[in-house]
Amino acid sequence: MGDMFASIKRGLEEAIAHQKGEKTGIRLFTPEEVNVKQVREKTGLTQEQFAATFGISLGTLRHWERGDRRPHGPALVLLNAVSKEPGTVLRILTGKRTEKRQKVARAG
């Protein structure tokens, strides 16, 4: 129990030092900001489909797309993955192979 307490104490002291701006061994990963509407459009899903697929409330998705709010934390990480590999992420989540629908002009 003593080792566990010491480890927790060190972690808390390091977190406090980091918060104060002191140099620590903490490495942070900050995901890139994303344009949520563009990410959704890459998937070819409607707002309703996108929200249901990724477990996001429709209201939240609409706020993100309008720019009223921004995604953060795990949602931002997921949206970055979808932005880079939409087909792969959709296949993992749904088990279905998807291809973005492309409009093909037909010669008349």
Side-chain angles (χ1 to χ4, degrees):
M1 184 104 157
D3 288 343
M4 187 182 330
F5 176 78
S7 175
I8 293 169
K9 182 180 177 193
R10 268 193 316 277
L12 288 172
E13 289 170 344
E14 191 173 65
I16 291 167
H18 174 74
Q19 183 66 28
K20 290 180 179 178
E22 298 173 13
K23 188 173 182 176
T24 64
I26 295 175
R27 288 185 278 160
L28 295 177
F29 170 74
T30 306
E32 296 176 29
E33 294 292 322
V34 296
N35 180 315
V36 177
K37 186 173 183 178
Q38 287 178 352
V39 171
R40 179 181 58 79
E41 288 173 344
K42 281 184 180 182
T43 67
L45 299 175
T46 65
Q47 285 183 331
E48 291 81 4
Q49 292 167 329
F50 190 89
T53 300
F54 295 102
I56 301 165
S57 80
L58 185 56
T60 296
L61 177 62
R62 288 179 174 157
H63 280 291
W64 289 346
E65 288 195 5
R66 281 193 310 256
D68 301 339
R69 298 184 197 153
R70 288 188 227 160
H72 61 278
L76 184 55
V77 172
L78 176 60
L79 289 167
N80 268 280
V82 175
S83 178
K84 290 176 177 61
E85 292 291 336
T88 301
V89 176
L90 286 171
R91 189 175 67 250
I92 290 167
L93 291 176
T94 65
K96 298 176 185 174
R97 185 171 285 271
T98 60
E99 294 179 24
K100 187 175 177 187
R101 296 180 191 121
Q102 296 179 354
K103 294 179 182 178
V104 179
R106 295 182 185 197

